[in-house]
Amino acid sequence: MKLTTEEKEMLAGSQGPGCQLSMEILVEVGEIFNAPYLIPVRSAHIVISNYKNCFEAGIEILEKFAFLQSKASIPTTVDPAGMDLERWKELGTPQDYAEKEWRIGLAVKKLDFIPCWTCTPYLCGQVPKVGDHLAWTESSAVIFANSILGARTNRETGGLDVACAIAGRTPYHGLHLDENRKGQVLIDVEIENMTREHFITLGYFMGLQAGTKIPVIEGIGRNSPLENYIGMGAASAASGGVALYHIVGITPEAPSLKMAFGQTPIPKPIPFGVKELKETKTKMCTAIPGAIDAVMVGCPHYTVAEISELAKLLNMQKISPRVKFWIYTYKNNILLAQRLGYKEIIEKAGGEFIADTCMIVSHTELYGFKQIMTDSGKCAHYAPTEVQAGVAFGSIEECVKAAIIGEWRG
Ligand code: F3S
């Protein structure tokens, strides 16, 4: 791999042992991928941020870099932690589990990473521009940065992301290159007036159809709220391994269908109509109609707009006392929800905010829920194993209805 003079010096230890170790990792990984060189990145987003994702090995990586007195050389945000960092005791977090999270938190602090603890860093001060090269890990953030913001990042792996944050570089391969960003699969949406639930179901369908290929979507308008793309991308990254999609007229590098595919012949479209919508929603539901124990929303982390929609639905309502209604988001959003009066409305109805974490990366399985409901495609995909419960997927209106009556009717 070709290195600049500065990079050769970094590899020889000119910027300290932590940077030297990072360069050794980057060069080794770059050679595996046949990357011709390293490319400077504007920011990093780290997924070694909770015990469920990184285990003991991940904590040791963070602590090793902290011990070597490494610091992030570029703005570096962190994914959700494994517990609410303030209310962990109240929420029943076991002490030994909490201690592992504190070790991660301490290392994050020493490394100068930004402790936003969210999977939506692009809504929390880390906003890339079109064409920026990044080193991000969280799959829902990667797909949003590539497809909506027009930045360029691979789905980095835990450990490599830390090295990228310290050295400020990543191997130049995969989605950093123009030729690897062209469409490979065409999806034709036949449904008019797509709701958020439809977008998320489309995302899940897209992941199943495309796998790790790059889908191009035709037939959805330009005027949808941001949250529709956030939820759709997260679902497709979970059900498949999609890291980039093109929506003609929205994705910056896809102003036309021709440009989305480049030199590749445009393939036969895969339809997404009412039949596919129904079949996909059925696949996303593993619960059986009947009582639910909890409704969990905020995967990816709920935005202020979503909290506002929820507050309208829950205003003057009462959630069944048998059902937990948990809203996951980052700290700043809870503060805004409080200032806007939404928090009070939601809590009066029986809802509860949980900060810094989410239902998948925290210890939700310890609550022993048999069936949960969610409005998230990513949660629907991972919760059967991570929460160890049957999952009902539906719109936020359906989630609220089920929470009030205490059951999901299918
Ligand atoms: Fe975010 Fe957790 Fe979902 S990290 S995308 S809320 S699985």
Side-chain angles (χ1 to χ4, degrees), residues 143-310:
I143 193 167
F144 189 83
N146 277 322
S147 315
I148 301 297
L149 302 176
R152 295 179 171 221
T153 176
N154 289 314
R155 277 169 70 153
E156 304 287 16
T157 48
L160 181 66
D161 52 2
V162 179
C164 295
I166 292 163
R169 289 155 170 79
T170 195
Y172 185 57
H173 74 105
L175 292 176
H176 292 283
L177 279 75
D178 281 347
E179 61 266 35
N180 294 336
R181 297 179 62 88
K182 299 300 177 196
Q184 297 164 303
V185 174
L186 179 59
I187 296 188
D188 183 22
V189 178
E190 295 170 346
I191 297 165
E192 284 175 22
N193 304 320
M194 293 269 288
T195 63
R196 179 152 320 137
E197 183 202 359
H198 294 162
F199 267 85
I200 292 167
T201 313
L202 166 62
Y204 204 90
F205 173 81
M206 196 159 86
L208 294 178
Q209 296 295 324
T212 54
K213 290 190 178 149
I214 300 173
V216 178
I217 312 159
E218 263 207 315
I220 49 179
R222 285 158 157 253
N223 295 325
S224 290
L226 208 60
E227 287 77 5
N228 291 8
Y229 306 117
I230 295 175
M232 178 179 82
S236 70
S239 65
V242 181
L244 162 66
Y245 60 80
H246 296 290
I247 303 178
V248 175
I250 292 179
T251 304
E253 60 213 275
S256 66
L257 194 60
K258 177 90 195 73
M259 289 186 80
F261 282 99
Q263 302 303 319
T264 315
I266 297 174
K268 192 168 165 266
I270 300 168
F272 180 77
V274 176
K275 178 175 156 280
E276 289 76 17
L277 179 80
K278 278 193 181 151
E279 285 173 0
T280 310
K281 191 170 171 184
T282 303
K283 279 184 197 153
M284 295 166 79
C285 294
T286 50
I288 45 170
I292 52 162
D293 304 301
V295 172
M296 297 183 186
V297 300
C299 172
H301 274 173
Y302 246 26
T303 67
V304 174
E306 286 173 311
I307 295 169
S308 139
E309 286 164 24
L310 181 60

Side-chain angles (χ1 to χ4, degrees), residues 79-80 119 138 140 234 298-301 357-361 378 382:
D79 227 37
C119 45
E138 162 59 46
S140 68
C299 172
H301 274 173
T357 188
C358 79
M359 67 292 267
I360 303 297
V361 302
K378 182 168 176 178
Y382 288 117

